Amino acid sequence: MSGAPAVGAAGGAEAAGLRVSGRWRATPAHVRALGLGVLLVALGVVLRRPDALVLGAPLLVVALWSSVHRPTADPELRVRTTAPLLREGQATAWRATLEPTAQVEEAGLTLLPTPHTAYDPGSRSVAAAVDPHGTEPTVLSVTCRSTRWGHRTLGPATLALSSALGGFRWEPEPISLPAVPTVPLPDTFTARVAVPHPDGLVGQNRSHHPGDGGELDQIRPFRFGDRLRRVHWPVSARTGQLHVTATHADQDSEILLLVDAMHDIGRSEGVDGSGSSLDNAVRAAGAVAEHYLRAGDRVGLIVLGARDLPPVTAAAGPNHLRRLLDALARTRVADGTVSDEKRLRAQLRHHVSAGTLAVILTPAVSPDVLAHAVGLSRRGISVVTVDTLPAELASPDLPAERLADIAATAAEHPDETRLAWRIRLLERSREMARAREAGVPIVPWAGPGTLDLVLRDLGRRSRAPRVVSR
């Protein structure tokens, strides 16, 4: 866990945050002290009991002193989170800053738990004594470490300030700050094989056509229009005739990432534990996008089954990587309703231009997604399907503790759940075999080099004559 919570006086001025408003109210302890003090003093006078006077007088004096010094001004309290954007495993601080005031004796902060978040301190509560004569602001801070991608709503938080002797308490309504997006931490990925169909104007992929580039094609005799800087002087001096170097053109490619969010199979334990199928797909998509965008290619994204998440148009550049990661962070698994099925069919009708490399990341549980991969391949689109189903769930003999990862009713019907999962795995194997027979390669996600062999085969296949259905 990175960073310890800062509690107490903090040097320097705090950055601006959300101003919190509330009002002072008497605490139950103050009401009890006042009522009990009056009652005991009255009983001591009426019944002539000095012991009641001895017990009630201190309570009454403290209650009256607190009432006379009741706080009248609202404290200046601001709250904020220190980081507007996180990556998986990074931490931010939920921070409350109280400006110097003489009417506050103690301040406290408590956060409600948020899924996939680790806290420091683990109790999610901090408190600090306020120096009435101090000149530095008092800071209450709870460190929140996000362990999974997504938009993380930290809190709501409960803040409380108490006056001297605990007579009055200033407590606003529970505070909710805007969600902090946590973008996926991309897996390590590299590809040493070029994309089969580079079709852009500029880039780092070798084209099959001659042009301005960095890779040598041949040395040929000089022609009208050739640039003088292309003259190859050793060959020209040896033959007595001008020769120039010809190169292959460098072009960029378009990569379309299709993330299957119709199902999320497996247990999601965050960046420090095991991942579900959707975790694997989101992190793999981030890794592929980061690799190709750094190579100068254009990358687009469609999250299949996602609600309120439009497709991300293919573009290039580091700013586009931020847009892609933010879209992946807003991915939510579909509910399995009829509207989700209709949305999936509409998304599968998305136009894919010629020369695009389509990378489909799916647990291969939905037949419609594999059928779409086959359809794209038959249209002449280069398609690679990445199997994101966790390897431990691909076995038909699952232990009893893992059955809950695939069905909510596994605890009540373990034998039926295991049998149903075996049947689904058999159907999955049959559908994957049909896709492979149709020319769609399916590879498990393995990090660096996952697509190298597949892209090499696609490159060889792209240079061979083929029949394309329209």
Side-chain angles (χ1 to χ4, degrees):
M1 200 168 293
S2 61
V7 181
E14 279 291 315
L18 176 65
R19 178 73 180 270
V20 180
S21 60
R23 69 175 187 174
W24 290 99
R25 294 184 176 89
T27 62
H30 175 73
V31 174
R32 287 195 300 267
L34 183 61
L36 187 59
V38 171
L39 178 61
L40 290 175
V41 170
L43 289 177
V45 172
V46 173
L47 301 179
R48 297 181 180 180
R49 295 287 302 270
D51 54 343
L53 286 174
V54 171
L55 293 176
L59 296 177
L60 184 59
V61 170
V62 170
L64 292 176
W65 188 89
S66 298
S67 299
V68 171
H69 294 84
R70 174 175 180 169
T72 56
D74 287 337
E76 186 177 346
L77 184 67
R78 296 183 180 273
V79 298
R80 68 185 183 98
T81 51
T82 56
L85 178 69
L86 299 176
R87 280 205 172 191
E88 287 181 299
Q90 291 183 343
T92 183
W94 206 106
R95 183 168 294 177
T97 305
L98 175 66
E99 295 299 327
T101 176
Q103 297 182 327
V104 177
E105 185 177 70
E106 190 175 3
L109 165 66
T110 299
L111 281 178
L112 291 180
T114 302
H116 303 292
T117 306
Y119 296 92
D120 186 12
S123 62
R124 309 180 308 280
S125 300
V126 291
V130 180
D131 184 4
H133 306 292
T135 58
E136 297 293 335
T138 301
V139 176
L140 301 174
S141 180
V142 176
T143 302
C144 310
R145 179 173 177 262
S146 181
T147 60
R148 188 176 187 259
W149 53 270
H151 279 227
R152 199 73 62 238
T153 302
L154 303 176
T158 301
L159 277 165
L161 307 178
S162 61
S163 64
L165 300 178
F168 293 87
R169 181 173 59 197
W170 188 86
E171 185 175 355
E173 296 294 328
I175 305 167
S176 296
L177 293 178
V180 179
T182 303
V183 300
L185 183 65
D187 289 337
T188 304
F189 173 76
T190 56
R192 293 172 293 180
V193 181
V195 178
H197 300 285
D199 60 349
L201 298 177
V202 294
Q204 300 182 16
N205 297 306
R206 170 186 165 179
S207 172
H208 300 299
H209 308 287
D212 290 334
E215 187 168 348
L216 179 65
D217 179 20
Q218 62 177 338
I219 299 176
R220 57 171 176 80
F222 180 85
R223 300 173 187 170
F224 180 77
D226 288 338
R227 298 182 180 180
L228 292 179
R229 64 183 180 89
R230 291 284 188 182
V231 173
H232 193 277
W233 293 109
V235 175
S236 300
R238 187 173 65 251
T239 60
Q241 183 182 0
L242 283 178
H243 281 71
V244 295
T245 56
T247 57
H248 291 281
D250 291 336
Q251 295 178 311
D252 63 345
S253 301
E254 180 176 337
I255 292 88
L256 177 62
L257 302 174
L258 295 100
V259 176
D260 184 1
M262 291 297 295
H263 302 88
D264 188 13
I265 304 173
R267 183 184 307 167
S268 180
E269 298 178 346
V271 71
D272 300 322
S274 61
S276 64
S277 62
L278 190 57
D279 287 341
N280 296 337
V282 167
R283 291 166 184 157
V288 174
E290 187 171 14
H291 169 77
Y292 284 110
L293 285 174
R294 287 181 176 177
D297 295 321
R298 291 167 285 120
V299 181
L301 173 68
I302 299 178
V303 180
L304 302 176
R307 182 179 304 173
D308 301 328
L309 190 59
V312 180
T313 307
N319 291 333
H320 187 62
L321 176 62
R322 167 69 184 275
R323 287 191 290 269
L324 287 173
L325 293 178
D326 183 69
L328 290 172
R330 290 186 283 119
T331 301
R332 297 291 182 272
V333 65
D335 299 328
T337 60
V338 176
S339 60
D340 293 329
E341 297 292 339
K342 293 181 178 179
R343 188 182 307 109
L344 174 63
R345 288 193 291 268
Q347 290 173 329
L348 294 180
R349 290 194 294 268
H350 180 78
H351 174 70
V352 181
S353 58
T356 300
L357 172 63
V359 180
I360 302 177
L361 302 110
T362 175
V365 173
S366 176
D368 294 336
V369 177
L370 287 179
H372 181 63
V374 173
L376 290 178
S377 179
R378 289 176 177 173
R379 287 171 45 198
I381 306 297
S382 298
V383 182
V384 178
T385 301
V386 178
D387 183 10
T388 60
L389 183 69
E392 59 271 15
L393 296 181
S395 171
D397 298 322
L398 286 180
E401 60 271 11
R402 298 308 302 268
L403 289 176
D405 298 342
I406 59 176
T409 59
E412 302 174 359
H413 309 283
D415 295 334
E416 291 82 353
T417 302
R418 184 177 287 107
L419 178 59
W421 183 242
R422 287 179 179 178
I423 296 174
R424 188 65 197 94
L425 287 179
L426 290 175
E427 295 175 347
R428 177 177 179 268
S429 300
R430 182 191 60 187
E431 293 161 0
M432 293 173 65
R434 289 179 177 177
R436 288 191 178 99
E437 292 174 358
V440 177
I442 302 177
V443 294
W445 177 253
T450 299
L451 307 181
D452 281 347
L453 184 59
V454 176
L455 293 179
R456 187 179 296 112
D457 293 340
L458 289 176
R460 294 170 182 170
R461 193 185 309 173
S462 66
R463 292 188 290 271
R466 62 184 301 180
V467 178
V468 178
S469 59
R470 298 291 184 182

